[in-house]
């Protein structure tokens, strides 16, 4: 070493000595300053971390205790019990509550995802919508002020009767439903078994499916009345954002500091500031220094984080309702001493500058001593300037100049190689630039294609929304027209979407079916109103329209049978009245020949008059019953019963008429006997009684004619009685159709009034006959006038019978062999 130093040229020895001394001095001072500064900074950072960690732990604990105190107070508030009771009762009265409430508040809710709580008023088909509109604003305000993720009200059956945010767990059951095994279900079951004074139930963070598998923790308490009655459970979904904010308050630490909350399983419960991902329940801390503090005491630590960086930190345990956490605050040592490292680098640069100056001074001194080195210096400068082809002088010398020359030659050769490599490197750099430009162009094309696809998607969405609006407006017009009784309006189906076209066609088919069915029913009713009873509803009806078809056709059959029966009766009555008119004419011609006024006949006729009055009263009662049926037939089924009773009274009246006819037969028989006796007495009187014998013979003939007429009347009454019985049965069968034929009942009632008038007139005629017979002794000359009145009455009766027949001819019924007209629901058939 000494020989080497002695052989060293002075031009290098002097600068070297100066540089070594200065380097040793600068390095010693720099290392000492760096070590002392690093120790001081680390100690100060540890104290700062301790204070921040303690503050973070206290802040988190205060936040959790505040939530616990708030839910305790809220669960014991009478208003909470009233709200839960009201919503639970309304929930139970809602038909299919899960489907209905999720459809109304989630599926059909027009608010975007994450803002479903903005819907306040909605129609649910029960009182739930009103109660939700009343209580939702207050509960949502509580959720917003406290920062809770969600608030739940759960009844004893496990039904979530209320939720602020209306996620998929709303209106489900936590005992048997899809979310029974989640954290909320666990919190409900535990809280359901708590006493009023017990601590709240807390379920630690875990993925929660209704919240898109986001981490969720729950706190819950039972709602119990003062009398010990349990109403359900109040539960909060913990405010993740508030806990995150509490752990991120690191204002007194450098920007590189990190703070987070660690659970007993080692997974983070808050997001790390130094991470771009969601760290909750996904990032795990492996450091045993941190995990050992879960149930221990707070302390500092030094470790290596998951990114391999050396860190120092401070951790403090936090406990809450059986859950244990660690509040951790840490910082990278590299970031901590980043300023110290910069100061050390500056010191080193300053030392190098001093060293360079000293070397320059030594070189200057050496050049003044060793001039031969000038040429070599010139060559070195040219080589340093880029002239690598200049020859280096003095390379063959054995002294330090020769060694320096040979070293310079080596430097020159290396410089040549470096130049060659630099040219190649520049060529490679240009190629890389070309490739980079091509990649950028490709990226630009991909971005342009993505923008076009996005524009196309937006246009498709806008087009579909326009079609949906058009369909909604058209459907609304159809519904409004249907509500006003107009079923000819149709949904316009000019869409490009097959599903919407099919929907519009189905709605149009429905309206077409309803329109055709109502048109068919209206046609039948119009025919009935016009008196045509030959039309029926025909066609392939289904459901309620098939029932309407059966009822309508049955009503037409019943009404047609009734009109035909009345027509037959009127025909019979017309024939009978004609015969009665002929008989009264005969009686009128023969009345002048009646010679004797018979007291027995007068008494019999008086009795007959009283019985006719009874008949008139029965007919009057029947007319009154018909009037009652006319006024009430359109309102209730009871009208049919009254009509049946009225028909029974008519039948009873017919029986009374029959009994009166029997009396007439008896009177006729007695008159016949009296006439026979008168003939015998006239024969005994000889010639003086011949005229009386003629009168007796005529009276006898008249009595026989009256008996024949009475037998015909009996036959007619018997037929009428059968017809009335058939009418009673027909009315009973047509009971369900009585409202539709109310107008027909009115017409029949008017006919009964006319019949009652006719019978009243007949009664008056019979009374006149009775009076005439009573005065036959002294007023025989008036017999003709009396019989003329009888004739007039018979004519009136015949006229009324013809009027009744004319009224029944208004109705068109199918005759023998005639077909029935069918009114079809098919427009082509109709």
């Amino acid at each position: 070493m000494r020989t080497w130093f002695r052989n060293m040229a002075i031009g290098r020895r002097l600068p070297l000595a100066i540089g070594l001394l200065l380097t040793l001095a600068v390095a010693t001072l720099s290392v000492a300053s760096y070590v002392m500064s690093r120790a001081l900074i680390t100690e100060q950072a540890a104290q700062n971390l301790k204070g921040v960690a303690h503050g973070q732990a206290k802040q988190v604990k205060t936040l959790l205790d505040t939530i616990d105190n708030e839910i305790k107070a809220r669960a014991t508030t009478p208003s909470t019990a009233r709200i839960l009771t009201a919503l639970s009762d309304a929930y139970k009265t809602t038909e299919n509550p899960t489907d209905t409430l999720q459809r109304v508040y989630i599926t059909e809710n027009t608010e975007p995802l994450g803002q479903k709580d903005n819907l306040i008023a909605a129609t649910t088909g029960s009182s739930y919508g009103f109660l939700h509109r009343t209580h939702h604003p207050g509960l949502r305000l509580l959720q917003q002020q406290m920062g809770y993720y969600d608030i739940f009200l759960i009844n004893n059956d496990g039904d979530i009767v209320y939720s602020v945010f209306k996620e998929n767990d709303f209106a489900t059951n936590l005992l048997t439903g899809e979310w029974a095994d989640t954290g909320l279900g666990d919190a409900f079951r535990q809280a359901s078994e708590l006493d009023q004074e017990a601590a709240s139930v807390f379920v630690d963070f875990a993925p929660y499916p209704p919240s898109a598998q986001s981490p969720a923790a729950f706190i819950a308490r039972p709602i119990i009345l003062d009398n010990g009655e349990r109403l359900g459970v109040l539960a909060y979904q913990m405010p993740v954002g508030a806990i995150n904010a509490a752990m991120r308050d690191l204002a007194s630490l450098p920007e590189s500091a990190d703070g987070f909350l660690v659970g007993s399983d080692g997974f983070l419960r808050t997001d790390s500031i130094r991470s771009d991902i969601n760290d909750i329940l996904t990032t795990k801390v492996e450091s045993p220094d941190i995990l050992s503090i879960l149930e221990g005491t707070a302390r500092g630590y030094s470790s290596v984080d998951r990114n391999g960086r050396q860190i120092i930190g401070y951790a403090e345990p936090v406990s809450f309702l059986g859950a244990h956490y660690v509040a951790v605050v840490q910082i990278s040592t590299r970031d901590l001493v980043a300023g110290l490292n910069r100061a050390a680098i500056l010191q080193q640069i300053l030392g190098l500058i001093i060293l360079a100056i000293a070397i320059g001074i030594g070189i200057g001194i050496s050049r003044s001593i060793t001039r031969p080195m000038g040429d070599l210096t010139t060559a070195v400068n040219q080589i340093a300037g880029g002239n690598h082809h200049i020859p280096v002088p003095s390379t063959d010398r054995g002294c330090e100049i020769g060694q320096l020359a040979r070293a310079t030659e080596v430097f020159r050769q290396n410089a040549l190689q470096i130049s060659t490599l630099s040219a190649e490197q520049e060529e490679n750099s240009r190629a890389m630039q070309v490739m980079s430009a091509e990649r950028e162009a490709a990226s630009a094309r991909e971005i342009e294609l993505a923008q076009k696809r996005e524009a196309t998607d937006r246009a498709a969405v806008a087009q579909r929304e326009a079609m949906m609006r058009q369909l909604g407006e058209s459907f609304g017009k159809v519904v409004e027209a249907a509500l006003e009784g107009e079923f000819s309006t149709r949904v316009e189906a000019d869409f490009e979407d097959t599903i919407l076209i099919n929907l519009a066609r189905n709605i149009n088919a429905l309206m077409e079916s309803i329109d055709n069915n109502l048109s068919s029913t209206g046609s039948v009713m119009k025919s009935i109103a016009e008196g045509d009873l030959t039309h029926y509803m025909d066609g392939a009806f289904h459901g309620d329209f098939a029932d309407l078809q059966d009822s309508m056709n049955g009503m037409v059959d019943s009404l047609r049978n009734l009109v035909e029966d009345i027509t037959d009766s009127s025909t019979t009555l017309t024939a009978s009245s004609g015969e009665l008119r002929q008989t009264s004419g005969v009686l009128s011609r023969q009345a002048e020949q009646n010679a004797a006024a018979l007291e027995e006949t007068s008494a019999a006729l008086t009795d007959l008059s009283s019985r006719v009055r009874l008949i008139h009263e029965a007919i009057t009662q029947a007319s009154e019953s018909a009037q009652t049926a006319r006024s009430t037939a359109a309102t209730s089924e009871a009208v049919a019963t009254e009509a049946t009773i009225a028909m029974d009274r008519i039948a009873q009246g017919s029986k009374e008429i029959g009994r009166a006819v029997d009396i007439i037969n008896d009177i006729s028989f007695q008159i016949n006997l009296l006439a026979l006796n008168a003939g015998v007495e006239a024969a005994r009187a000889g010639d003086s009684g011949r005229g009386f014998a003629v009168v007796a013979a005529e009276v006898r003939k008249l009595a026989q004619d009256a008996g024949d007429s009475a037998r015909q009347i009996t036959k007619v009454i018997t037929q009428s009685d059968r017809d009335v019985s058939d009418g009673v049965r027909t009315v009973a069968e047509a009971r369900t159709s009585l409202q539709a034929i109310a107008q027909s009942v009115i017409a029949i009632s008017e006919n009964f009034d006319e019949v009652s008038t006719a019978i009243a007139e007949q009664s008056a005629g019979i009374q006149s006959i009775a009076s005439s017979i009573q005065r036959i002794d002294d007023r025989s000359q008036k017999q003709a006038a009396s019989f003329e009145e009888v004739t007039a009455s018979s004519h009136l009766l015949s006229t009324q019978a013809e009027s009744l027949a004319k009224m029944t001819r208004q109705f068109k019924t199918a005759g023998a062999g005639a077909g029935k007209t069918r009114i079809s629901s098919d427009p082509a058939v109709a």
Side-chain angles (χ1 to χ4, degrees):
M1 178 64 70
R2 289 182 190 179
T3 304
W4 174 78
F5 189 73
R6 283 197 303 267
N7 293 332
M8 182 179 295
I10 296 174
R12 296 186 63 188
R13 187 185 304 172
L14 185 58
L16 181 60
I18 295 172
L20 288 175
L21 291 174
L22 291 175
T23 300
L24 180 61
V26 172
T28 302
L29 292 173
S30 298
V31 171
S33 176
Y34 180 82
V35 172
M36 293 176 64
S37 299
R38 183 184 179 93
L40 181 60
I41 291 173
T42 302
E43 183 178 357
Q44 291 178 349
Q47 292 298 324
N48 196 11
L49 289 173
K50 178 179 179 181
V52 173
H54 179 72
Q56 300 295 75
K58 185 176 181 180
Q59 190 171 353
V60 171
K61 187 67 167 63
T62 300
L63 173 62
L64 296 177
D65 289 342
T66 300
I67 295 173
D68 185 29
N69 293 332
E70 198 280 328
I71 196 173
K72 286 180 181 178
R74 188 68 57 178
T76 56
T77 302
S79 61
T80 304
R82 289 195 300 270
I83 293 173
L84 175 57
T85 301
L87 289 175
S88 180
D89 293 342
Y91 181 91
K92 293 177 180 178
T93 59
T94 302
E95 184 178 358
N96 297 323
T98 299
D99 296 337
T100 300
L101 297 184
Q102 287 196 351
R103 173 178 56 80
V104 171
Y105 289 100
I106 300 177
T107 306
E108 296 180 357
N109 189 345
T110 58
E111 296 293 337
L113 187 65
Q115 299 180 21
K116 300 295 184 181
D117 58 313
N118 290 335
L119 178 61
I120 297 177
T123 301
T124 62
S126 66
S127 61
Y128 188 93
F130 170 76
L131 294 172
H132 184 275
R133 181 180 59 190
T134 302
H135 302 299
H136 177 67
L139 292 172
R140 185 171 68 158
L141 180 61
L142 171 65
Q143 175 265 328
Q144 293 173 347
Q145 289 177 344
M146 297 300 296
Y148 302 139
Y149 184 89
D150 207 346
I151 297 176
F152 303 94
L153 288 174
I154 311 164
N155 62 19
N156 289 328
D157 297 331
D159 299 316
I160 302 179
V161 300
Y162 176 78
S163 166
V164 173
F165 265 104
K166 308 297 187 300
E167 294 183 327
N168 291 334
D169 50 7
F170 171 59
T172 62
N173 189 277
L174 294 179
L175 294 177
T176 60
E178 182 179 1
W179 318 118
D181 296 330
T182 61
L184 181 58
D186 189 16
F188 165 72
R189 287 188 292 272
Q190 293 184 45
S192 298
E193 300 175 356
L194 293 181
D195 296 330
Q196 185 73 21
E197 302 301 327
S200 303
V201 172
F202 177 72
V203 177
D204 201 359
F205 286 91
Y208 188 54
S211 299
Q213 296 293 342
S214 298
F218 300 92
I219 185 171
R221 285 196 65 81
I223 300 177
I224 304 175
L225 297 178
D226 294 337
N227 60 4
E229 181 184 358
R230 291 180 178 269
L231 300 180
V233 171
L234 171 65
Y236 294 161
Q237 190 167 341
M238 299 297 286
V240 178
I243 300 175
N244 261 335
M247 289 304 301
R248 290 190 173 200
D249 187 9
L250 306 174
S252 61
L253 295 178
E255 294 182 358
S256 60
D258 194 5
F260 47 85
L261 195 67
V262 182
S264 57
D265 54 1
F267 285 97
L268 269 59
R269 296 300 190 268
T270 62
D271 283 326
S272 171
I273 300 177
R274 309 259 51 91
S275 175
D276 295 332
I277 64 173
N278 185 1
D279 296 295
I280 302 176
L281 299 181
T282 59
T283 302
K284 187 173 184 180
V285 174
E286 303 291 349
S287 174
D289 295 323
I290 296 177
L291 299 178
S292 63
I293 304 175
L294 281 169
E295 298 183 8
T297 57
R299 62 180 177 83
Y301 66 91
S302 176
S303 179
V304 178
D305 65 4
R306 60 181 181 274
N307 296 322
R309 299 179 303 173
Q310 186 70 31
I311 58 173
I312 61 172
Y314 196 88
E316 183 168 332
V318 178
S319 297
F320 178 69
L321 296 178
H324 300 286
Y325 303 110
V326 177
V328 178
V329 178
Q330 64 184 23
I331 187 171
S332 170
T333 56
R334 184 181 63 184
D335 297 333
L336 184 64
V337 298
L340 182 60
N341 292 336
R342 286 194 295 271
I345 293 173
L346 291 176
Q347 288 180 352
Q348 292 174 4
I349 293 174
L350 182 59
L352 291 176
I353 292 173
I354 295 173
L355 181 60
I357 293 173
I359 293 174
I361 293 173
I363 292 175
I365 295 173
S366 64
R367 289 185 62 186
S368 65
I369 299 173
T370 57
R371 188 169 294 275
M373 296 182 62
D375 297 336
L376 182 58
T377 302
T378 301
V380 170
N381 289 334
Q382 291 182 359
I383 293 172
N387 187 5
H388 302 152
H389 301 283
I390 187 174
V392 179
S394 303
T395 56
D396 54 348
R397 298 179 63 132
C399 64
E400 61 273 7
I401 295 175
Q403 295 175 359
L404 182 58
R406 288 190 290 271
T408 302
E409 179 64 20
V410 173
F411 174 79
R412 188 178 68 85
Q413 295 296 331
N414 291 337
L416 287 172
Q417 294 179 359
I418 291 172
S419 297
T420 304
L421 294 174
S422 296
E424 294 177 355
Q425 185 175 3
E426 290 178 358
E427 183 65 26
N428 293 334
S429 177
R430 285 193 295 272
M432 291 298 292
Q433 290 177 354
V434 173
M435 293 175 63
S436 177
E438 292 177 352
R439 284 196 298 269
E440 290 179 357
S443 298
R445 288 194 297 272
E446 291 178 358
I447 292 173
E448 182 179 359
L449 292 175
Q451 291 175 346
K452 290 182 179 179
R453 285 195 298 270
E454 183 179 359
T456 302
D457 293 341
R458 286 197 299 269
V461 171
Q463 182 181 8
R464 186 169 183 85
E465 289 179 351
M467 289 191 292
M468 291 299 293
R469 285 194 300 272
Q470 182 181 357
L471 178 61
E473 293 174 357
S474 181
F475 184 67
K477 293 179 181 177
V478 172
V479 173
E480 290 176 359
L483 291 176
E484 295 177 357
E486 175 61 42
F487 295 92
S488 61
T489 306
R490 298 294 181 265
V491 176
E492 299 179 0
D494 188 13
F495 305 115
E496 297 180 359
D497 193 305
T498 305
I499 296 176
L500 298 182
I501 292 176
N502 292 334
L503 176 59
R505 288 176 178 174
N506 292 334
I507 294 174
N508 289 338
L510 173 62
M511 298 305 297
E512 184 74 21
S513 176
I514 295 175
D515 191 13
N516 292 337
N517 292 335
L518 292 179
S519 298
S520 179
T521 305
S523 299
V524 175
M525 295 302 295
K526 181 178 179 181
S527 298
I528 294 175
E530 294 174 351
D532 190 351
L533 303 180
T534 62
H535 289 79
Y536 288 79
M537 285 183 64
D538 196 7
F541 296 96
H542 303 283
D544 292 340
F545 284 108
D547 297 338
L548 176 61
Q549 179 188 25
D550 295 337
S551 300
M552 181 63 69
N553 291 340
M555 181 196 71
V556 173
D557 287 334
S558 299
L559 187 59
R560 182 174 57 81
N561 293 334
L562 179 59
V563 171
E564 289 177 349
D565 292 341
I566 294 176
T567 301
D568 295 340
S569 299
S570 65
T571 302
T572 303
L573 183 60
T574 301
S576 299
S577 65
E579 294 176 356
L580 180 61
R581 181 176 58 187
Q582 293 176 358
T583 302
S584 64
V586 173
L587 290 175
S588 178
R589 290 190 302 269
Q590 295 179 354
E592 295 179 355
Q593 302 175 1
N594 292 333
L598 305 175
E599 293 180 357
E600 294 86 356
T601 302
S602 177
L605 287 177
T606 301
D607 184 62
L608 175 62
S609 178
S610 62
R611 292 185 179 274
V612 168
R613 283 195 299 271
L614 293 176
I615 296 172
H616 177 262
E617 292 175 357
I619 293 298
T620 301
Q621 292 179 355
S623 178
E624 293 174 353
S625 299
Q627 291 290 342
T628 303
R630 181 178 64 183
S631 63
T632 60
T635 59
S636 67
E637 187 179 356
V639 176
T641 304
E642 293 295 331
T644 303
I645 295 173
M647 295 299 291
D648 290 336
R649 290 177 179 175
I650 294 173
Q652 186 65 31
S654 298
K655 294 179 181 179
E656 293 293 333
I657 294 174
R659 286 193 292 269
V661 171
D662 292 337
I663 293 173
I664 293 174
N665 284 331
D666 293 338
I667 293 173
S668 174
F669 180 74
Q670 291 178 4
I671 292 174
N672 193 20
L673 289 178
L674 290 174
L676 181 60
N677 291 331
V680 172
E681 294 296 331
R684 289 178 181 178
D687 293 335
S688 61
R690 184 175 300 174
F692 191 77
V694 172
V695 173
E698 292 296 330
V699 170
R700 183 180 178 185
K701 184 177 179 182
L702 179 62
Q704 290 176 351
D705 293 337
D708 294 337
S709 299
R711 284 190 295 272
Q712 291 178 358
I713 292 173
T714 301
K715 182 178 179 181
V716 172
I717 293 299
T718 302
Q719 180 64 35
S720 177
D721 185 64
R722 287 196 298 269
D723 293 338
V724 169
S725 299
D726 293 337
V728 172
R729 183 176 62 257
T730 302
V731 170
E733 294 174 350
R735 181 174 300 174
T736 57
S737 305
L738 190 58
Q739 291 180 349
I741 61 173
Q743 297 300 324
S744 299
V745 172
I746 293 174
I748 293 172
S749 176
E750 293 174 352
N751 293 335
F752 270 115
D753 292 339
E754 295 174 356
V755 172
S756 177
T757 302
I759 292 177
E761 294 175 354
Q762 290 178 357
S763 176
I766 292 174
Q767 289 178 356
S768 297
I769 294 172
S771 298
S772 298
I773 292 176
Q774 287 178 357
R775 295 187 300 270
I776 195 171
D777 289 334
D778 56 357
R779 302 177 66 180
S780 59
Q781 66 274 11
K782 296 182 180 180
Q783 290 181 355
S786 298
F787 280 111
E788 288 179 359
E789 292 179 359
V790 173
T791 302
S793 298
S794 64
H795 277 283
L796 181 59
L797 177 63
S798 177
T799 301
Q800 294 297 327
E802 291 177 355
S803 177
L804 179 61
K806 182 179 180 181
M807 290 180 181
T808 57
R809 282 196 296 272
Q810 295 182 58
F811 295 95
K812 180 181 179 182
T813 59
K820 300 178 181 178
T821 303
R822 297 287 179 175
I823 297 179
S824 174
S825 63
D826 188 352
V829 177

